[in-house]
Short mmCIF file of all heavy atoms in Angstrom, two decimals:
data_model
loop_
_atom_site.label_atom_id
_atom_site.label_comp_id
_atom_site.label_asym_id
_atom_site.label_seq_id
_atom_site.Cartn_x
_atom_site.Cartn_y
_atom_site.Cartn_z
N MET E 12 2.76 -26.10 -8.80
CA MET E 12 3.28 -26.59 -10.08
C MET E 12 3.50 -28.10 -10.02
O MET E 12 3.59 -28.70 -8.96
CB MET E 12 4.54 -25.82 -10.45
CG MET E 12 4.19 -24.33 -10.61
SD MET E 12 5.48 -23.35 -11.41
CE MET E 12 5.24 -23.84 -13.14
N LYS E 13 3.55 -28.71 -11.20
CA LYS E 13 3.55 -30.18 -11.28
C LYS E 13 4.91 -30.82 -11.11
O LYS E 13 5.02 -31.98 -10.73
CB LYS E 13 2.93 -30.60 -12.61
CG LYS E 13 1.42 -30.33 -12.64
CD LYS E 13 0.89 -30.37 -14.07
CE LYS E 13 -0.48 -29.74 -14.12
NZ LYS E 13 -0.87 -29.37 -15.48
N SER E 14 5.96 -30.12 -11.46
CA SER E 14 7.28 -30.74 -11.44
C SER E 14 8.35 -29.67 -11.45
O SER E 14 8.08 -28.51 -11.78
CB SER E 14 7.47 -31.59 -12.70
OG SER E 14 7.43 -30.76 -13.85
N ILE E 15 9.56 -30.08 -11.09
CA ILE E 15 10.66 -29.13 -11.14
C ILE E 15 10.93 -28.75 -12.60
O ILE E 15 11.34 -27.63 -12.88
CB ILE E 15 11.91 -29.68 -10.40
CG1 ILE E 15 12.90 -28.53 -10.16
CG2 ILE E 15 12.54 -30.82 -11.16
CD1 ILE E 15 14.07 -28.91 -9.27
N GLU E 16 10.66 -29.65 -13.50
CA GLU E 16 10.87 -29.35 -14.92
C GLU E 16 9.96 -28.18 -15.35
O GLU E 16 10.38 -27.30 -16.09
CB GLU E 16 10.59 -30.58 -15.78
CG GLU E 16 10.88 -30.40 -17.26
CD GLU E 16 12.27 -29.84 -17.55
OE1 GLU E 16 13.23 -30.23 -16.85
OE2 GLU E 16 12.41 -28.98 -18.46
N GLN E 17 8.73 -28.20 -14.85
CA GLN E 17 7.80 -27.11 -15.20
C GLN E 17 8.29 -25.77 -14.60
O GLN E 17 8.19 -24.73 -15.25
CB GLN E 17 6.40 -27.45 -14.67
CG GLN E 17 5.29 -26.63 -15.33
CD GLN E 17 3.94 -26.80 -14.64
OE1 GLN E 17 3.87 -27.26 -13.49
NE2 GLN E 17 2.86 -26.45 -15.32
N LYS E 18 8.84 -25.84 -13.40
CA LYS E 18 9.38 -24.62 -12.79
C LYS E 18 10.60 -24.12 -13.56
O LYS E 18 10.79 -22.91 -13.75
CB LYS E 18 9.79 -24.89 -11.33
CG LYS E 18 8.60 -25.23 -10.43
CD LYS E 18 9.05 -25.55 -9.01
CE LYS E 18 7.83 -25.92 -8.15
NZ LYS E 18 8.21 -26.17 -6.75
N ARG E 19 11.41 -25.05 -14.00
CA ARG E 19 12.62 -24.71 -14.76
C ARG E 19 12.24 -23.95 -16.04
O ARG E 19 12.82 -22.92 -16.38
CB ARG E 19 13.31 -26.03 -15.11
CG ARG E 19 14.73 -25.92 -15.59
CD ARG E 19 15.33 -27.31 -15.73
NE ARG E 19 15.81 -27.84 -14.46
CZ ARG E 19 15.57 -29.09 -14.00
NH1 ARG E 19 14.85 -29.95 -14.71
NH2 ARG E 19 16.05 -29.46 -12.84
N THR E 20 11.23 -24.47 -16.71
CA THR E 20 10.80 -23.83 -17.96
C THR E 20 10.16 -22.48 -17.66
O THR E 20 10.34 -21.52 -18.41
CB THR E 20 9.78 -24.74 -18.69
OG1 THR E 20 10.28 -26.07 -18.69
CG2 THR E 20 9.57 -24.27 -20.12
N MET E 21 9.40 -22.39 -16.58
CA MET E 21 8.77 -21.11 -16.22
C MET E 21 9.84 -20.03 -16.00
O MET E 21 9.73 -18.91 -16.53
CB MET E 21 7.92 -21.28 -14.96
CG MET E 21 7.18 -20.04 -14.52
SD MET E 21 5.91 -19.52 -15.71
CE MET E 21 4.49 -20.47 -15.09
N VAL E 22 10.84 -20.36 -15.22
CA VAL E 22 11.90 -19.39 -14.93
C VAL E 22 12.62 -18.98 -16.22
O VAL E 22 12.90 -17.80 -16.45
CB VAL E 22 12.88 -20.00 -13.90
CG1 VAL E 22 14.23 -19.29 -13.92
CG2 VAL E 22 12.27 -19.91 -12.50
N GLN E 23 12.90 -19.96 -17.05
CA GLN E 23 13.59 -19.70 -18.31
C GLN E 23 12.78 -18.78 -19.22
O GLN E 23 13.29 -17.78 -19.72
CB GLN E 23 13.75 -21.06 -19.00
CG GLN E 23 14.83 -21.21 -19.99
CD GLN E 23 14.94 -22.69 -20.36
OE1 GLN E 23 13.96 -23.27 -20.87
NE2 GLN E 23 16.07 -23.31 -20.08
N ARG E 24 11.52 -19.10 -19.36
CA ARG E 24 10.66 -18.35 -20.27
C ARG E 24 10.40 -16.91 -19.78
O ARG E 24 10.45 -15.95 -20.53
CB ARG E 24 9.31 -19.08 -20.46
CG ARG E 24 9.40 -20.39 -21.23
CD ARG E 24 9.71 -20.16 -22.71
NE ARG E 24 8.83 -19.17 -23.29
CZ ARG E 24 7.62 -19.42 -23.82
NH1 ARG E 24 7.19 -20.67 -23.91
NH2 ARG E 24 6.88 -18.44 -24.31
N LEU E 25 10.10 -16.79 -18.47
CA LEU E 25 9.83 -15.43 -17.94
C LEU E 25 11.11 -14.58 -18.00
O LEU E 25 11.06 -13.39 -18.29
CB LEU E 25 9.31 -15.51 -16.50
CG LEU E 25 7.91 -16.12 -16.32
CD1 LEU E 25 7.57 -16.21 -14.83
CD2 LEU E 25 6.83 -15.31 -17.05
N THR E 26 12.24 -15.20 -17.71
CA THR E 26 13.51 -14.47 -17.75
C THR E 26 13.83 -14.00 -19.17
O THR E 26 14.21 -12.83 -19.38
CB THR E 26 14.66 -15.37 -17.23
OG1 THR E 26 14.35 -15.77 -15.90
CG2 THR E 26 16.00 -14.63 -17.25
N ASP E 27 13.68 -14.90 -20.13
CA ASP E 27 13.94 -14.52 -21.53
C ASP E 27 13.06 -13.34 -21.93
O ASP E 27 13.53 -12.36 -22.51
CB ASP E 27 13.65 -15.70 -22.47
CG ASP E 27 14.73 -16.77 -22.38
OD1 ASP E 27 15.77 -16.53 -21.74
OD2 ASP E 27 14.52 -17.86 -22.94
N ALA E 28 11.77 -13.43 -21.57
CA ALA E 28 10.83 -12.36 -21.93
C ALA E 28 11.26 -11.03 -21.31
O ALA E 28 11.40 -10.02 -22.01
CB ALA E 28 9.42 -12.74 -21.47
N ALA E 29 11.50 -11.03 -20.02
CA ALA E 29 11.84 -9.78 -19.34
C ALA E 29 13.18 -9.22 -19.84
O ALA E 29 13.30 -8.01 -20.09
CB ALA E 29 11.87 -10.00 -17.82
N ALA E 30 14.17 -10.07 -19.99
CA ALA E 30 15.49 -9.61 -20.42
C ALA E 30 15.42 -8.98 -21.81
O ALA E 30 15.97 -7.89 -22.06
CB ALA E 30 16.49 -10.77 -20.41
N GLU E 31 14.71 -9.63 -22.71
CA GLU E 31 14.62 -9.09 -24.07
C GLU E 31 13.87 -7.76 -24.11
O GLU E 31 14.30 -6.82 -24.78
CB GLU E 31 13.93 -10.10 -25.01
CG GLU E 31 14.88 -11.24 -25.38
CD GLU E 31 14.17 -12.31 -26.21
OE1 GLU E 31 13.31 -11.95 -27.06
OE2 GLU E 31 14.46 -13.50 -26.00
N VAL E 32 12.77 -7.68 -23.38
CA VAL E 32 11.98 -6.45 -23.47
C VAL E 32 12.69 -5.28 -22.77
O VAL E 32 12.68 -4.16 -23.27
CB VAL E 32 10.55 -6.66 -22.92
CG1 VAL E 32 9.75 -5.38 -23.04
CG2 VAL E 32 9.85 -7.79 -23.66
N TYR E 33 13.33 -5.54 -21.64
CA TYR E 33 14.09 -4.46 -20.99
C TYR E 33 15.41 -4.17 -21.74
O TYR E 33 16.01 -3.11 -21.54
CB TYR E 33 14.46 -4.84 -19.54
CG TYR E 33 13.34 -4.68 -18.53
CD1 TYR E 33 12.95 -5.75 -17.72
CD2 TYR E 33 12.69 -3.46 -18.35
CE1 TYR E 33 11.94 -5.60 -16.77
CE2 TYR E 33 11.68 -3.32 -17.41
CZ TYR E 33 11.30 -4.39 -16.62
OH TYR E 33 10.31 -4.25 -15.69
N GLY E 34 15.87 -5.14 -22.51
CA GLY E 34 17.18 -4.97 -23.15
C GLY E 34 18.31 -5.16 -22.15
O GLY E 34 19.35 -4.51 -22.22
N TYR E 35 18.09 -6.09 -21.21
CA TYR E 35 19.07 -6.34 -20.15
C TYR E 35 19.70 -7.72 -20.36
O TYR E 35 19.10 -8.62 -20.94
CB TYR E 35 18.37 -6.38 -18.79
CG TYR E 35 18.07 -5.05 -18.16
CD1 TYR E 35 18.20 -3.86 -18.86
CD2 TYR E 35 17.62 -4.99 -16.84
CE1 TYR E 35 17.91 -2.64 -18.24
CE2 TYR E 35 17.33 -3.78 -16.23
CZ TYR E 35 17.47 -2.61 -16.94
OH TYR E 35 17.17 -1.42 -16.33
N ASP E 36 20.86 -7.88 -19.77
CA ASP E 36 21.46 -9.21 -19.69
C ASP E 36 20.57 -10.10 -18.82
O ASP E 36 20.03 -9.64 -17.81
CB ASP E 36 22.86 -9.08 -19.06
CG ASP E 36 23.60 -10.39 -19.08
OD1 ASP E 36 23.35 -11.23 -18.17
OD2 ASP E 36 24.41 -10.60 -19.99
N LYS E 37 20.44 -11.35 -19.19
CA LYS E 37 19.59 -12.27 -18.43
C LYS E 37 20.02 -12.40 -16.97
O LYS E 37 19.20 -12.65 -16.09
CB LYS E 37 19.63 -13.69 -19.05
CG LYS E 37 18.71 -13.85 -20.24
CD LYS E 37 18.39 -15.31 -20.52
CE LYS E 37 19.58 -16.03 -21.15
NZ LYS E 37 19.19 -17.38 -21.63
N MET E 38 21.30 -12.24 -16.70
CA MET E 38 21.80 -12.38 -15.33
C MET E 38 21.21 -11.33 -14.39
O MET E 38 21.29 -11.46 -13.17
CB MET E 38 23.33 -12.30 -15.29
CG MET E 38 24.01 -13.56 -15.78
SD MET E 38 23.33 -15.08 -15.05
CE MET E 38 23.83 -14.87 -13.32
N LYS E 39 20.63 -10.27 -14.95
CA LYS E 39 20.05 -9.23 -14.10
C LYS E 39 18.61 -9.54 -13.68
O LYS E 39 18.03 -8.79 -12.92
CB LYS E 39 20.10 -7.87 -14.83
CG LYS E 39 21.51 -7.41 -15.14
CD LYS E 39 21.57 -5.97 -15.57
CE LYS E 39 21.47 -5.02 -14.38
NZ LYS E 39 21.75 -3.61 -14.76
N ILE E 40 18.04 -10.61 -14.23
CA ILE E 40 16.62 -10.89 -13.96
C ILE E 40 16.45 -11.99 -12.91
O ILE E 40 17.03 -13.06 -13.03
CB ILE E 40 15.89 -11.35 -15.26
CG1 ILE E 40 16.19 -10.41 -16.44
CG2 ILE E 40 14.39 -11.52 -15.01
CD1 ILE E 40 15.61 -9.03 -16.34
N SER E 41 15.67 -11.70 -11.88
CA SER E 41 15.29 -12.72 -10.88
C SER E 41 13.82 -13.10 -11.07
O SER E 41 13.01 -12.25 -11.47
CB SER E 41 15.47 -12.19 -9.45
OG SER E 41 16.83 -11.97 -9.16
#
Side-chain angles (χ1 to χ4, degrees):
Chain E
M12 299 193 77
K13 289 164 196 162
S14 63
I15 194 171
E16 184 51 38
Q17 198 189 18
K18 294 177 182 183
R19 195 173 278 134
T20 314
M21 182 66 89
V22 160
Q23 203 171 61
R24 291 290 310 273
L25 292 177
T26 301
D27 286 351
E31 284 175 37
V32 181
Y33 281 125
Y35 279 11
D36 186 278
K37 279 200 286 190
M38 284 312 293
K39 298 192 78 170
I40 311 292
S41 293

